[in-house]
Amino acid sequence: MEFDVIFGNAARAGLGPQAAIFALAAIGLNLHFGYAGLLNFGQVGFMMLGAYGTAIMVATWGGSLWLGIPFGLGLCVAFALALGIPTLRLRSDYFAITTIAAAEILRLLIRSSPATDITGGPFGLQAIANSFYDLNFLPDGRFGIGTFSYSSNQLWVMIVAWVLVVLCSALVLGLIKSPWGRVVRAIREDEDAVLSLGKNTVAYKLQALAIGGVIGGLAGVIDVLQQSGVGSENFEPQVTFFAWAALILGGLATTVGPVVGAVLFWFLREGVESFIRELSAENWLPNVLADFLDGAEGAISVVLMGIGLVGLMALRPQGIFGRRRNLHLGT
Amino acid sequence: MSEMTTVRPELTEAALEAAPPGRLKDDPILITFGMLKTFGGIRAVDIDHLEIERGTITAIIGPNGAGKTTLFNLLTGFDRPDQGSWRLDGRPLGGLPPHRIARLGMVRTFQLTKSLSRLTVLENMAVAAQTQRGERLERALLRWLWLPEEERVMTRAVELLERFGIEHMADEQAGTLSGGQRKLLEMARALMADPELVMLDEPTAGVNPALTESLLEHIRNLNAEGVTIVFVEHNMDVVMDISDWVVVMAQGRILTEGAPEEVVANEEVIDAYLGRAREAVDEAVEEAEGEEGDG
Ligand SMILES: Nc1ncnc2c1ncn2[C@@H]1O[C@H](COP(=O)(O)OP(=O)(O)OP(=O)(O)O)[C@@H](O)[C@H]1O
Ligand SMILES: [Mg+2]
């Protein structure tokens, strides 16, 4: 068994652009739920708008990438307002249901045939990130050892993505440590109490939703950059749930939780998948099982991750970095 | 009129004669006209006229389900009346959201204490300070713009916590406080908002007698500083002890109002409308004390 191959694959995924994308999505969710108490099950909708806003500006309208990115993020703010204004006054479960539905409706609209002229419909949009790779100052070739290696362009995306992860973590930390963040955390605890103290809670929730959504939108932008294209199949509801898994794994309402959670999530997911593939390749599995697993390594890996997460919730419900004591102080 | 009239008409009329509701005050801070709120078929609040005199301590008493909490919810904007209008310092408040009403100087507490559990006690206090620059998103990251103000807020918060005797808990999460300490914190927090009129919904419920005594002292001191206080209370000893004025509610209506001696002299009112509630509360208090002793 080639453990170096397995580990190399796992590490490549854990530090790769996918992990950074999910780290960003989870940082946004952490602001939403960890700090503001907003149950957003439609984070993928923000990622989609960030991605498609960028892509449409470049591929459909022939605009600059540097105009496309702020346009995509602007769409995220608009989406936050459209989602939040009607629902944030209502009970929190209405908001949760609306988010998941809105994200999925958005995806179906984007891939529908009438939208093909703008969004590329089922074919998506390509050739978007050229001006981003023009800025790549790294030499050509591969970087790393064995399976743990990246091409020059991949490494360039990764550097940008992880820098964004650090900046967004710092942004959220700074906001949360401010009096603004104090009000937001207070709303998570008891909105009526905060209202009774003269704070416009709906405005704070909208702001938190928009900021976390824009960070999710950045995840979508990175996705466009790394593939130099978009397709609606990348934005199915499971994306949101993987981001939630990463967040819960790392720990809610902590600064490093969402980042470490995302890294670990991709490390384990790829590691397990690679491990199963190796098992089959070495004929260590009985034939029946090997046939069953053949081609389903990814799915099995996700299932095992799910079981692992359930186990974690039993042993360490606060996640890796969360503080256990906080769980017992629920309202 | 509501059911009670048909059940004991003589009582209601006697009560009305002794101290008619809706009495005009010399200098009312709060005036309520024709407030009606129904839940299904129940008239939870149905008040023709109510005035609260500035600078006084007014107790609202009445049996469970009399509509006291609902009245608080209506006045503070947490619930909308079917009909009615009310004014704070001459300003109509109808249709204003609760945070706007709080900013105008009417700050409430809740019957079921609402502490912000995973915030520290000090943070609980700081949230209540009004018009903080750093609470605006666009300034949140510009620390130098709000740091001096933040220091003033903290100083004030610590002062109030000291006054309420819970400064030693300042850095603990509020969820770790005992029930009585939470009541103290909620009241201190309401004061942090610099209210003109404080509405306390059962501030002494579930609080042991020693702590009740100190709570009452705080209410008195606060009043001495010019803050108008309205509070809901089941314990008649407390009512007699600190209130300047008593409003008796039953089945959504104001049955009578008057000075404490006036109202308490109206034996029938007390027997009919407070007897039951009083027993229930006494029992509850005993139970709570028993539990505290066990723990
Ligand atoms: N949200 C609601 N929905 C339906 N009925 C309600 C609601 N809130 C209050 N009520 C009803 O309105 C009436 C008044 O209730 P309220 O809570 O105001 O009484 P209270 O005087 O505060 O009683 P307590 O002393 O028990 O706190 C009760 O009959 C209650 O059942
Ligand atoms: Mg009540």
Side-chain angles (χ1 to χ4, degrees):
Chain A
M1 168 134 339
E2 311 210 24
F3 281 105
D4 54 333
V5 172
I6 297 173
F7 186 81
N9 281 335
R12 194 186 58 222
L15 295 178
Q18 277 299 320
I21 288 167
F22 277 81
L24 286 168
I27 291 168
L29 274 184
N30 192 35
L31 179 59
H32 290 156
F33 184 69
Y35 293 117
L38 299 170
L39 265 177
N40 173 15
F41 290 127
Q43 185 69 334
V44 70
F46 289 101
M47 297 166 73
M48 194 162 21
L49 285 172
Y52 269 95
T54 308
I56 289 170
M57 179 61 80
V58 177
T60 311
W61 296 336
S64 142
L65 177 66
W66 312 114
L67 205 61
I69 293 172
F71 175 66
L73 300 182
L75 289 180
C76 292
V77 174
F79 187 51
L81 299 180
L83 264 181
I85 289 174
T87 55
L88 283 179
R89 287 165 210 280
L90 307 176
R91 267 184 12 222
S92 60
D93 32 356
Y94 290 95
F95 173 74
I97 293 166
T98 308
T99 55
I100 192 170
E104 187 59 3
I105 289 169
L106 206 58
R107 190 178 72 85
L108 295 175
L109 283 179
I110 282 175
R111 63 164 293 131
S112 67
S113 28
T116 305
D117 287 347
I118 301 173
T119 64
F123 311 107
L125 298 167
Q126 287 79 33
I128 292 150
N130 295 338
S131 44
F132 172 73
Y133 290 107
D134 288 346
L135 296 182
N136 181 2
F137 54 82
L138 302 166
D140 286 344
R142 283 197 83 78
F143 300 80
I145 37 165
T147 47
F148 177 54
S149 74
Y150 305 94
S151 73
S152 167
N153 275 351
Q154 276 177 325
L155 195 59
W156 170 231
V157 171
M158 279 166 59
I159 291 171
V160 172
W162 287 112
V163 166
L164 278 177
V165 166
V166 171
L167 288 178
C168 289
S169 298
L171 170 75
V172 171
L173 181 66
L175 287 174
I176 281 310
K177 293 277 173 214
S178 75
W180 180 86
R182 187 165 57 209
V183 177
V184 166
R185 287 182 300 128
I187 292 170
R188 170 192 72 193
E189 299 300 309
D190 193 317
E191 185 169 356
D192 277 349
V194 183
L195 272 174
S196 80
L197 299 171
K199 316 288 164 179
N200 184 354
T201 55
V202 173
Y204 284 94
K205 290 199 287 185
L206 269 179
Q207 291 166 357
L209 181 64
I211 295 167
V214 166
I215 296 175
L218 275 177
V221 170
I222 298 296
D223 199 41
V224 169
L225 295 181
Q226 71 127 359
Q227 306 188 46
S228 202
V230 272
S232 62
E233 67 283 354
N234 290 344
F235 300 103
E236 284 172 4
Q238 70 206 33
V239 173
T240 298
F241 294 102
F242 288 159
W244 270 99
L247 175 59
I248 289 169
L249 185 66
L252 284 165
T254 62
T255 302
V256 290
V259 180
V260 175
V263 169
L264 217 58
F265 181 87
W266 283 97
F267 181 88
L268 292 175
R269 189 176 156 179
E270 183 58 39
V272 171
E273 193 176 329
S274 191
F275 178 69
I276 298 172
R277 248 189 271 116
E278 283 290 313
L279 279 182
S280 316
E282 308 248 333
N283 284 324
W284 284 17
L285 292 174
N287 278 341
V288 189
L289 196 57
D291 288 346
F292 175 68
L293 289 179
D294 189 35
E297 292 91 353
I300 299 292
S301 174
V302 171
V303 168
L304 290 178
M305 293 283 301
I307 295 171
L309 207 59
V310 170
L312 178 82
M313 286 302 98
L315 294 172
R316 208 180 150 77
Q318 70 274 39
I320 295 169
F321 290 98
R323 284 191 294 170
R324 173 145 216 159
R325 202 157 64 112
N326 285 350
L327 288 179
H328 302 290
L329 295 178
T331 39
Chain B
M1 271 285 280
S2 49
E3 250 175 82
M4 108 197 61
T5 329
T6 50
V7 179
R8 301 189 62 178
E10 76 292 348
L11 168 77
T12 313
E13 266 151 40
L16 286 173
E17 241 162 68
R23 278 204 206 167
L24 305 185
K25 309 292 184 321
D26 293 335
D27 180 19
I29 184 169
L30 182 75
I31 311 181
T32 304
F33 308 94
M35 193 74 103
L36 174 68
K37 176 74 187 178
T38 55
F39 290 115
I42 304 171
R43 288 180 166 239
V45 166
D46 182 4
I47 289 177
D48 294 334
H49 194 83
L50 175 65
E51 298 191 353
I52 302 293
E53 175 77 349
R54 188 187 311 278
T56 59
I57 302 181
T58 303
I60 298 187
I61 62 174
N64 296 113
K68 307 178 294 292
T69 297
T70 307
L71 176 62
F72 268 36
N73 288 343
L74 296 176
L75 293 175
T76 53
F78 279 84
D79 207 342
R80 310 237 156 219
D82 304 340
Q83 279 171 35
S85 62
W86 67 112
R87 289 160 183 266
L88 180 73
D89 267 330
R91 255 192 94 123
L93 300 184
L96 289 186
H99 67 273
R100 296 281 304 281
I101 292 181
R103 283 183 203 167
L104 289 172
M106 172 158 47
V107 176
R108 71 170 302 178
T109 65
F110 296 87
Q111 185 166 354
L112 295 172
T113 323
K114 292 187 183 294
S115 54
L116 307 168
S117 301
R118 284 172 292 178
L119 267 58
T120 67
V121 168
L122 196 59
E123 285 176 324
N124 264 264
M125 296 294 289
V127 166
Q130 296 299 294
T131 56
Q132 299 182 54
R133 296 159 70 92
E135 284 186 350
R136 308 215 32 125
L137 178 59
E138 66 273 19
R139 303 200 193 108
L141 292 176
L142 312 177
R143 288 175 71 83
W144 64 92
L145 283 183
W146 49 260
L147 220 48
E149 183 184 50
E150 179 76 355
E151 276 162 22
R152 285 197 298 277
V153 167
M154 288 302 171
T155 312
R156 172 109 198 289
V158 170
E159 271 169 23
L160 272 169
L161 287 177
E162 276 168 3
R163 191 165 142 188
F164 280 75
I166 44 176
E167 78 280 7
H168 59 287
M169 302 297 284
D171 296 325
E172 300 295 323
Q173 288 181 304
T176 64
L177 296 184
S178 73
Q181 286 173 325
R182 283 181 209 206
K183 285 275 180 197
L184 286 171
L185 173 60
E186 200 180 16
M187 201 163 136
R189 195 176 63 193
L191 297 193
M192 189 76 191
D194 262 329
E196 261 191 87
L197 171 60
V198 191
M199 315 274 289
L200 306 169
D201 198 349
E202 306 205 14
T204 68
V207 177
N208 70 43
L211 208 50
T212 297
E213 202 43 57
S214 90
L215 258 170
L216 297 185
E217 200 52 45
H218 293 309
I219 294 180
R220 256 190 227 107
N221 290 338
L222 199 62
N223 181 242
E225 288 164 23
V227 180
T228 308
I229 291 160
V230 177
F231 73 117
V232 172
E233 183 56 67
H234 282 292
N235 183 336
M236 278 311 285
D237 295 334
V238 168
V239 172
M240 295 308 294
D241 188 12
I242 68 164
S243 46
D244 303 311
W245 195 257
V246 180
V247 175
V248 186
M249 282 186 75
Q251 300 188 8
R253 304 190 65 91
I254 295 180
L255 184 67
T256 172
E257 62 174 305
E261 314 78 51
E262 220 178 320
V263 168
V264 85
N266 197 329
E267 279 294 339
E268 278 185 298
V269 172
I270 300 302
D271 286 346
Y273 297 106
L274 293 173
R276 242 178 322 136
R278 192 173 174 179
E279 274 162 35
V281 168
D282 287 347
E283 267 167 39
V285 168
E286 267 163 37
E287 253 170 52
E289 276 167 12
E291 272 167 29
E292 250 168 52
D294 297 339

